Amino acid sequence: MGWSWLLPHGASTFAARIDFMYYVILAITGIAFFVVELGLVWFLIKYRARPGRKAEYIHGSTKAEITWTSVTAVTVVVIGLMSGPVWNQVKGRHSVPADAMPLAARAQQFEWHFTYPGPDGQLETADDFSLRNQLHVVVNRPAVMLLQAEDVIHSFFVPAWRIKQDAVPGLGIRVWFQPTEVGTFELACAELCGLGHYRMRAQVTVHTQEAYDQWLAEQGQNVAIR
Amino acid sequence: MATTAATVGQVGHAGHVDDRSFLRKYIFSTDHKIIGIQFLIMSLVFLALGGTLAMMMRWQLGFPGQAMPGGTVLPETMAPGGVLLPEFYISLVTMHGTFMVFFAIMPLLVGVFGNFLIPLKIGAPDMAFPRLNMMSFWVAVSSGLIMLAGFWAEGGHAGAGWTAYAPLSEAPEYSGVSLGQQLWCLSLIVLGLSSMLGAVNYITTVINMRAPGMTWFRLPLSIWALFITAILVLLAIPILAGGAIMLLFDQTIGTHFFKPATGGQVLLWQHLFWFFGHPEVYILILPAMGMVSDIIANGSRKPIFGYESMVFAIMGIGFLGWIVWGHHMFQSGMNPTLGQTFMISTLFIAVPSAIKVFNWMGTMWRGSLHFHVPMLHAVAFVAMFVIGGLSGVFMASTPVDIYIHDTYFIVAHIHYVLFGGSLFALFAAITYWYPKMFGRMMNPFWGKVHFWLTFGFYNLTFFPMHQLGLQGHMRRIYDPTEYTFLQPLQPLNQFISIAAFLLFASQALFALNFILSWFTGAKADVNPWRDNALEWSVPSPPPHGNFAVTPTVYRGPYEYSSPETSDDYLPQDKRLPTDRMPASQPAGD
């Protein structure tokens, strides 16, 4: 039924690092949760009003304040320091690998249009072709996608890849990813974009290089026939 | 409260003849207590409405595409044959958020308790500007009516989320909504006026009208929190109003602030909205924290632990609120380097939040805990706020946020803060100050039944939403079964819906207790909770003008179980032989 604190299976190079960060925070907040909530319940039982016992007249403790302030501050700094590099790997300005396959995506109500570079591997050339709601990529090969939106804000979300990036009208945003598993996955729109938001989905197919080449050749034939 | 216009000539406690007409006394009143009660009734109505909208959403999510029981009363444009339309569903999403944030939680905290508590707790006869105060309420009512009118607008009500992200919010060609969204903007502009009138009043009153001896560091934490909140309101609301005016102009007079095709900036709206919106989040929690502090000290019969740390934590949260707005925009396409800065500032909010939680626990430590109904809700506030605070660490971490942003994890988080936090604090505050407001006690038995049912069903409703989010379940989607990877979660969605229906139904107990106690509750004496603060030294309800003689304050509000007295409480205005008279001017102390 899904009552799990585990993340679903990940299928990109980001998944391991993002999931690790998630589990680190889950462990830290989990410990804090149990310490605080069990402490609270223990106090509620232990210090419940009983006849003949008066509350102690205590106004505070500087030592305690310093302790919990500094422990919390150090913990969040550690979380911040650990998170920073992972963020940079995914979204940093210079994070995109030089050999990434170029792709373009245009989001519009309520569909995704993906443009492929064709056999020459370059976008904006004559052999480019576009497909609706179908994203095809190669396993273990980085791809970088120029994400644009036609009308309103949409958001490119492939849960299995742990990647999400808003597509914003007027901006071209580069998003990159490197799938690690062959198969089909779902792509969802994660930003409310109108009444059809809930059905703005696309299918992601991750091929081996050979299968991709073969698929690409078939696309070329289709284009030629047309 | 049972007095009517007929009882003209009733002698008020303050010694003057109260000859105001019914209209001046109860409708167009300038009395801060009446205005507080007016805000209370208004915002409870909107709370019920916001809850009703949520129930419809939960029906659709649990049972997508099935006719909603009773849904046939809705017009064809919303739910033909009782089945909700997608465009109506996103209006529900939008208006649930809008009503709950702007017309329920915010007026309940600021409008109701800012009004009712500030003059009483600082020993003032009324607000600094009573007429502005009256205006603030009636402007808020007008704003609420404008917002309600949107449901009857051609094209339906606003459907771009309570955050109204442009360009969806301003483009009828993409949303199908025009008048509804314009009314939404107009209503919030008008509401902003009301909030600013209130904020000016609260700030002036706290600075200028404290009773002799009521130094800054003798103020109850509720007043500190409301004071800092009023400053946040004064500074944040103009930004929302400015943004809403720009959005309205884009829709009506052809400007293009947010229209990319003509040079506008889409992300500008998000910056404006969240530069207001994050302080707003603290507007929605700080007063709750303040009132919970008062109630926990009272229930523990012990001074608040670390009073000064608590004050500085309120200020710290208020300040940090201004430099974290970008964490709502990590995935928006803004410069990724900003993500790092906003992550660090956001993570630091954990520090003042932890200070508050540990000090509440410190207050209970070695106390003598009395679990009256307000105390139960206040303790639940602490327990639930901890969950909401800890879940916030996940999205503060930018890489984890990439995955959980715009999923149900966020929905769970906001509801742990705003329902588990603010609303439990409000149940605590309403049950605590009810006797002072209405002169009668709420029924404690039914109060406890309501508490336990709410606490249970609340957690069954919102806790599993974390799990939905972790599986990638997106927010604001009309039908999750569209996605293969979400189909296995449908039983969990149904479970949540049923828990939500029971949670909603449990609120009938509160409503009945609230209404029936007004007429048949046991008469409340002056100080039913044996509390130290000044409002408990005047009759329940206090007369017009509050204090017969301006009280003199000798100590802070948390002197419970003091060795100086045989009682376990020591009122702020009780003069002990060792007390010196304070200097006549409290300000500048």
Side-chain angles (χ1 to χ4, degrees):
Chain A
M1 205 163 134
W3 292 92
S4 172
W5 281 98
L6 302 181
L7 292 178
H9 186 67
S12 82
T13 51
F14 300 150
R17 293 190 74 184
I18 287 178
D19 292 6
F20 176 74
M21 204 54 234
Y22 163 78
Y23 288 115
V24 167
I25 295 174
L26 184 66
I28 293 171
T29 54
I31 291 167
F33 172 81
F34 281 110
V35 167
V36 173
E37 302 285 3
L38 292 178
L40 187 61
V41 171
W42 182 51
F43 285 4
L44 296 182
I45 296 166
K46 182 147 193 242
Y47 301 117
R48 67 189 187 278
R50 274 162 296 171
R53 202 179 64 80
K54 210 174 162 181
E56 287 185 42
Y57 184 66
I58 306 166
H59 281 91
S61 152
T62 312
K63 217 163 107 185
E65 302 285 346
I66 292 171
T67 310
W68 58 54
T69 306
S70 41
V71 167
T72 314
V74 169
T75 310
V76 296
V77 168
V78 168
I79 292 175
L81 289 177
M82 290 179 75
S83 300
V86 187
W87 170 254
N88 269 340
Q89 186 206 352
V90 182
K91 298 250 172 142
R93 294 204 139 174
H94 308 291
S95 61
V96 183
D99 61 338
M101 178 172 92
L103 292 167
R106 198 164 46 79
Q108 69 176 65
Q109 286 183 331
F110 301 100
E111 53 194 33
W112 302 89
H113 293 272
F114 298 101
T115 303
Y116 296 83
D120 68 351
Q122 302 287 320
L123 280 178
E124 317 241 343
T125 53
D127 64 348
D128 290 0
F129 63 96
S130 291
L131 291 177
R132 180 173 163 273
N133 288 340
Q134 280 189 60
L135 176 60
H136 292 261
V137 285
V138 183
V139 70
N140 294 328
R141 183 169 164 199
V144 59
M145 178 187 279
L146 182 69
L147 196 55
Q148 291 178 298
E150 191 84 334
D151 36 33
V152 299
I153 301 173
H154 303 276
S155 192
F156 176 88
F157 178 34
V158 183
W161 291 351
R162 309 288 190 264
I163 185 69
K164 184 180 290 128
Q165 175 60 56
D166 286 4
V168 181
L171 296 183
I173 301 168
R174 290 201 310 165
V175 54
W176 81 278
F177 40 81
Q178 182 173 338
T180 53
E181 271 180 38
V182 170
T184 55
F185 305 90
E186 280 178 299
L187 188 168
C189 177
E191 183 67 65
L192 178 61
C193 60
L195 66 91
H197 167 54
Y198 71 99
R199 52 181 161 80
M200 185 167 163
R201 59 195 283 268
Q203 182 172 295
V204 178
T205 312
V206 182
H207 303 273
T208 60
Q209 184 70 52
E210 301 79 59
Y212 182 81
D213 291 341
Q214 194 185 344
W215 172 82
L216 194 62
E218 286 165 15
Q219 299 306 310
Q221 280 163 16
N222 292 346
V223 172
I225 291 163
R226 265 184 248 136
Chain B
M1 284 309 300
T3 44
T4 63
T7 55
V8 173
Q10 175 204 6
V11 179
H13 184 76
H16 68 271
V17 177
D18 194 350
D19 56 357
R20 294 169 299 158
S21 66
F22 179 82
L23 206 64
R24 294 291 298 171
K25 201 167 172 183
Y26 295 116
I27 310 296
F28 297 104
S29 175
T30 55
D31 184 332
H32 71 101
K33 300 181 294 296
I34 300 298
I35 296 171
I37 291 167
Q38 288 175 322
F39 265 116
L40 179 62
I41 293 163
M42 180 196 88
S43 22
L44 287 177
V45 168
F46 282 120
L47 185 71
L49 174 67
T52 310
L53 302 182
M55 291 308 105
M56 293 195 235
M57 283 153 64
R58 273 322 318 177
W59 175 264
Q60 168 62 26
L61 290 169
F63 310 93
Q66 295 181 37
M68 187 172 65
T72 43
V73 299
L74 293 170
E76 291 281 303
T77 51
M78 295 176 179
V83 181
L84 301 182
L85 290 172
E87 50 269 48
F88 181 56
Y89 179 83
I90 57 175
S91 285
L92 290 176
V93 170
T94 305
M95 298 324 296
H96 168 70
T98 302
F99 278 121
M100 286 306 200
V101 167
F102 293 107
F103 294 93
I105 306 293
M106 192 175 169
L108 275 171
L109 290 168
V110 183
V112 177
F113 289 101
N115 262 310
F116 192 81
L117 294 183
I118 290 174
L120 280 170
K121 275 186 174 291
I122 66 172
D126 207 311
M127 284 286 179
F129 311 116
R131 283 184 186 82
L132 279 193
N133 208 15
M134 174 175 82
M135 184 176 167
S136 163
F137 172 71
W138 287 106
V139 169
V141 171
S142 331
S143 156
L145 292 177
I146 297 171
M147 193 60 90
L148 276 177
F151 282 112
W152 285 270
E154 177 97 42
H157 211 324
W162 80 278
T163 51
Y165 276 14
L168 180 66
S169 55
E170 63 173 24
E173 65 269 36
Y174 302 136
S175 64
V177 177
S178 52
L179 184 57
Q181 189 70 50
Q182 291 165 18
L183 289 170
W184 185 91
C185 292
L186 191 63
S187 168
L188 289 192
I189 296 164
V190 174
L191 185 70
L193 177 64
S194 160
S195 301
M196 283 193 280
L197 292 172
V200 167
N201 227 336
Y202 303 152
I203 295 170
T204 315
T205 307
V206 173
I207 292 177
N208 288 327
M209 296 180 67
R210 284 170 289 128
M214 183 62 90
T215 60
W216 283 100
F217 281 88
R218 283 177 183 170
L219 282 178
L221 288 170
S222 51
I223 301 304
W224 262 115
L226 286 162
F227 177 67
I228 300 292
T229 301
I231 296 172
L232 296 183
V233 168
L234 192 69
L235 298 177
I237 290 290
I239 302 158
L240 172 71
I245 289 170
M246 291 157 82
L247 196 62
L248 187 61
F249 280 2
D250 269 13
Q251 294 170 74
T252 50
I253 63 168
T255 58
H256 27 72
F257 293 108
F258 312 119
K259 286 193 177 114
T262 39
Q265 283 288 339
V266 168
L267 290 190
L268 176 62
W269 167 261
Q270 293 180 34
H271 281 293
L272 287 172
F273 185 85
W274 289 116
F275 191 64
F276 145 79
H278 211 83
E280 169 73 10
V281 172
Y282 297 137
I283 290 166
L284 298 172
I285 196 75
L286 285 177
M289 289 174 158
M291 294 190 290
V292 158
S293 303
D294 287 6
I295 293 166
I296 284 185
N298 174 287
S300 305
R301 314 309 295 164
K302 193 165 159 277
I304 199 86
F305 198 88
Y307 171 88
E308 290 181 11
S309 304
M310 291 296 246
V311 173
F312 292 126
I314 293 172
M315 293 178 185
I317 293 173
F319 170 74
L320 284 170
W322 295 100
I323 54 169
V324 298
W325 81 93
H327 69 219
H328 298 273
M329 299 172 61
F330 285 153
Q331 319 312 330
S332 70
M334 75 173 178
N335 185 332
T337 312
L338 283 175
Q340 304 278 22
T341 13
F342 280 116
M343 169 172 69
I344 297 297
S345 56
T346 302
L347 282 167
F348 265 96
I349 293 170
V351 176
S353 307
I355 291 173
K356 297 206 77 80
V357 168
F358 286 123
N359 278 308
W360 287 318
M361 291 177 70
T363 306
M364 287 181 251
W365 174 66
R366 298 197 179 177
S368 174
L369 307 185
H370 289 67
F371 296 108
H372 46 56
V373 175
M375 179 68 171
L376 288 173
H377 284 287
V379 170
F381 166 92
V382 176
M384 298 299 98
F385 176 74
V386 166
I387 299 177
L390 291 173
S391 68
V393 178
F394 290 84
M395 47 271 227
S397 166
T398 42
V400 179
D401 182 72
I402 295 173
Y403 181 59
I404 59 177
H405 180 73
D406 270 329
T407 68
Y408 263 80
F409 198 89
I410 310 292
V411 179
H413 167 74
I414 193 177
H415 285 93
Y416 266 89
V417 180
L418 285 188
F419 191 145
S422 307
L423 201 51
F424 272 100
L426 280 164
F427 284 135
I430 292 169
T431 48
Y432 196 71
W433 280 287
Y434 190 94
K436 192 53 69 184
M437 287 178 169
F438 301 107
R440 291 178 187 271
M441 304 297 291
M442 285 177 82
N443 183 303
F445 172 78
W446 289 108
K448 284 179 182 172
V449 173
H450 164 253
F451 167 77
W452 284 110
L453 291 177
T454 304
F455 185 76
F457 292 133
Y458 162 77
N459 279 295
L460 292 176
T461 303
F462 293 105
F463 201 80
M465 289 189 186
H466 291 112
Q467 270 71 34
L468 288 183
L470 291 176
Q471 299 306 309
H473 195 313
M474 295 79 71
R475 297 169 73 173
R476 296 168 166 176
I477 54 170
Y478 163 75
D479 183 355
T481 60
E482 279 284 314
Y483 285 87
T484 318
F485 79 103
L486 295 181
Q487 279 163 6
L489 298 172
Q490 203 47 29
L492 190 54
N493 256 325
Q494 255 171 37
F495 176 90
I496 291 171
S497 291
I498 291 164
F501 300 149
L502 293 168
L503 174 63
F504 186 68
S506 308
Q507 305 317 307
L509 290 177
F510 179 79
L512 284 174
N513 198 349
F514 185 95
I515 295 166
L516 294 179
S517 299
W518 198 335
F519 302 103
T520 64
K523 289 271 185 208
D525 64 18
V526 170
N527 192 359
W529 312 112
R530 296 177 296 137
D531 194 296
N532 299 327
L534 294 179
E535 76 270 28
W536 304 104
S537 66
V538 290
S540 307
H544 189 46
N546 297 343
F547 299 91
V549 180
T550 303
T552 302
V553 175
Y554 299 97
R555 60 188 65 78
Y558 303 117
E559 292 300 295
Y560 294 103
S561 304
S562 163
E564 292 189 74
T565 166
S566 53
D567 286 331
D568 68 351
Y569 68 112
L570 183 53
Q572 285 188 281
D573 60 339
K574 182 173 170 184
R575 189 176 181 186
L576 294 178
T578 49
D579 286 323
R580 284 179 299 134
M581 284 298 284
S584 55
Q585 288 300 317
D589 228 290

